[in-house]
Amino acid sequence: MKRPVRIAVTGAAGSISHSLLFRIAAGEMVGRDQPVILQLIEVPRAMEPLRGIAMELEDCAFPLLHSISMHDRFEDGVVGAHYVLLIGARPRGPGMERSELITANAPVFAGQGRAINEFANRDVKVLVVGNPANTNALIASRNAPDLSPAQFTALTRLDHNRTRGILANHTGANPRGIRRISVWGNHSSTQFPDLGHATIYGEPALAQVDEHWYREQFIRKIQRRGAAIIEARGHSSAASAAQAILNHMYDWINGTPENDWVSMGIVSDGSYGIEKGIFYSFPVRCDYGRYQIVQGLEISDFARDRMRETERELLEEMQTVAELLPEDTEASHRNLSVCLRSGITLYDDGISLPEQYLQTDRVL
Ligand code: NAX
């Protein structure tokens, strides 16, 4: 048996986590031979329901589930974590503007970034799911001065999967036969699901669908899918979000398949002319537990306009939370090549013997 890895999850008693935790414990996030320790984090009033979930996890007798701990203080829950899933967030209330949601959640993510910086494993990988996911990832990352911005990501894989699933259904193709989808920008209604480089069974996707349908209906459908699910179901997407979280983390850790890529919200290094330092969804390939933006894609004028629109929204969001972005982390976020230059390979679990890290010079 391998040594277990520590996975910290906030919002652990919420809807997404209910679809997620059991699958993590079954080995679907890190690997089917990797034991896990679940460090479940909730607000104090949700600790009792959380205890019930922990009991159910225990009752599943998952061979890979080493142990479970429960925390109502984030600082305790994140100690030694190799993976942190920031799912818990204040939901958008009735009549609440997006900007109000941003300011309500921002201080929480600043505190979580500081705690991850202080207590998590030095090689930690962080995924922000709680909305507004891109800007919350920016806040957390900017408040973690000792970690690389490349260790923080925001979930746009659900949008990527939606694009793939809905295109598959429309064309009658198996989703497996659809490759090279790109979701650009913000996890919001300005996101741009781009079929410009996508293929269906190896042939260009745009040659196989009606262009008017793609431009006028398909893009809007993906952008508004979350709202459509809330309208139909009365609750926001939880099972599909859990699936996307598993896909995002699995690919980040284990690598993307050959001939394909995935979409991840990551700090922009200026690729495709996108402003450096914001968390923007790009097409990426993963290997060695790292990701790299797919380079050299041709961008049409149609695509460029949409990429700019969602970039503008992210820049505005950044302005809204400007006072929570410490100046001393601005340079590292705007000059990513420096941050990515030296890698740290996990050697110990980071709690007892932090000096025993193996340093490498891998350049990605
Ligand atoms: P729920 O309201 O069912 O659960 C959220 C849980 O988080 C609650 O149990 C709450 O007590 C807990 N929580 C709140 N603040 C916390 C904190 N500071 N520390 C620890 N726990 C905290 O929401 P759920 O459906 O699970 O969705 C969670 C978040 O994911 C929401 O912000 C939602 O908007 C966002 N989503 C993001 C998606 C993405 O693709 N990035 C898609 C799905 C989802 O809409």
Side-chain angles (χ1 to χ4, degrees):
M1 254 311 190
K2 288 180 172 176
R3 186 179 187 132
V5 293
R6 299 176 176 275
I7 305 172
V9 184
T10 69
S15 315
I16 294 177
S17 291
H18 201 255
S19 295
L20 177 70
L21 296 176
F22 297 85
R23 297 180 65 189
I24 295 177
E28 289 188 53
M29 184 179 108
V30 191
R32 300 247 181 220
D33 60 347
Q34 177 59 64
V36 297
I37 296 170
L38 288 177
Q39 303 181 175
L40 306 179
I41 307 167
E42 258 296 349
V43 295
R45 68 169 183 283
M47 292 312 282
E48 197 51 20
L50 184 61
R51 210 165 63 81
I53 293 165
M55 285 191 253
E56 279 206 78
L57 280 162
E58 187 178 21
D59 295 350
C60 291
F62 289 115
L64 291 174
L65 183 54
H66 176 281
S67 51
I68 305 169
S69 60
M70 289 175 283
H71 311 268
D72 60 7
R73 277 187 77 238
F74 184 80
E75 290 76 3
D76 299 334
V78 84
V79 171
H82 303 104
Y83 305 105
V84 177
L85 309 178
L86 298 180
I87 300 173
R90 210 178 128 183
R92 194 159 164 175
M96 201 174 180
E97 292 296 322
R98 190 173 167 86
S99 59
E100 291 175 68
L101 180 73
I102 293 170
T103 38
N105 275 312
V108 174
F109 284 83
Q112 292 180 342
R114 285 193 290 273
I116 292 169
N117 189 63
E118 195 168 342
F119 300 114
N121 188 282
R122 294 303 82 191
D123 206 29
V124 65
K125 285 179 165 55
V126 182
L127 171 61
V128 178
V129 178
N131 275 319
N134 298 51
T135 294
N136 289 339
L138 171 72
I139 297 167
S141 177
R142 286 287 297 271
N143 283 278
D146 304 327
L147 300 172
S148 164
Q151 291 174 258
F152 289 80
T153 60
L155 186 73
T156 55
R157 182 61 176 266
L158 179 54
D159 309 300
H160 182 101
N161 286 352
R162 282 170 174 164
T163 305
R164 197 177 197 173
I166 292 172
L167 182 64
N169 195 28
H170 183 78
T171 57
N174 187 302
R176 220 180 16 223
I178 297 178
R179 293 187 171 166
R180 301 191 173 201
I181 282 163
S182 313
V183 172
W184 303 92
N186 202 0
H187 170 69
S188 76
S189 58
T190 66
Q191 65 172 275
F192 173 42
D194 181 9
L195 297 185
H197 316 96
T199 58
I200 305 176
Y201 297 128
E203 299 296 326
L206 284 182
Q208 300 178 58
V209 297
D210 177 56
E211 195 170 333
H212 186 265
W213 170 81
Y214 164 58
R215 291 190 176 201
E216 302 302 326
Q217 293 177 37
F218 180 73
I219 293 175
R220 202 169 324 131
K221 188 168 187 169
I222 306 297
Q223 290 171 332
R224 296 184 185 166
R225 188 65 158 185
I229 289 169
I230 293 176
E231 210 176 294
R233 197 178 158 253
H235 300 283
S236 66
S237 19
S240 54
Q243 171 72 14
I245 293 168
L246 295 169
N247 290 156
H248 176 112
M249 294 304 296
Y250 187 91
D251 288 348
W252 189 4
I253 298 163
N254 297 291
T256 37
E258 257 181 66
N259 296 323
D260 203 1
W261 60 63
V262 295
S263 305
M264 286 168 67
I266 56 171
V267 68
S268 167
D269 66 350
S271 292
Y272 297 98
I274 300 303
E275 180 74 22
K276 289 181 180 180
I278 53 173
F279 272 73
Y280 190 95
S281 179
F282 284 98
V284 299
R285 291 196 182 91
C286 306
D287 211 346
Y288 295 110
R290 302 289 172 94
Y291 53 77
Q292 286 183 300
I293 297 173
V294 177
Q295 297 294 339
L297 299 177
E298 209 174 292
I299 306 294
S300 66
D301 291 346
F302 174 80
R304 174 70 61 198
D305 288 350
R306 269 140 202 85
M307 286 162 68
R308 285 266 173 259
E309 187 191 345
T310 187
E311 177 193 29
R312 261 197 304 279
E313 184 182 49
L314 282 166
L315 288 167
E316 279 167 27
E317 289 186 14
M318 183 161 74
Q319 280 310 314
T320 316
V321 299
E323 81 277 12
L324 287 166
L325 306 177
E327 261 171 42
D328 61 354
T329 50
E330 187 173 348
S332 62
H333 283 70
R334 292 188 64 87
N335 192 4
L336 246 194
S337 54
V338 173
C339 302
L340 286 178
R341 206 163 293 275
S342 86
I344 298 174
T345 303
L346 182 68
Y347 189 66
D348 188 69
D349 74 359
I351 298 175
S352 48
L353 296 164
E355 68 276 13
Q356 288 198 10
Y357 287 109
L358 176 65
Q359 300 278 338
T360 70
D361 294 323
R362 182 181 299 286
V363 177
L364 272 182

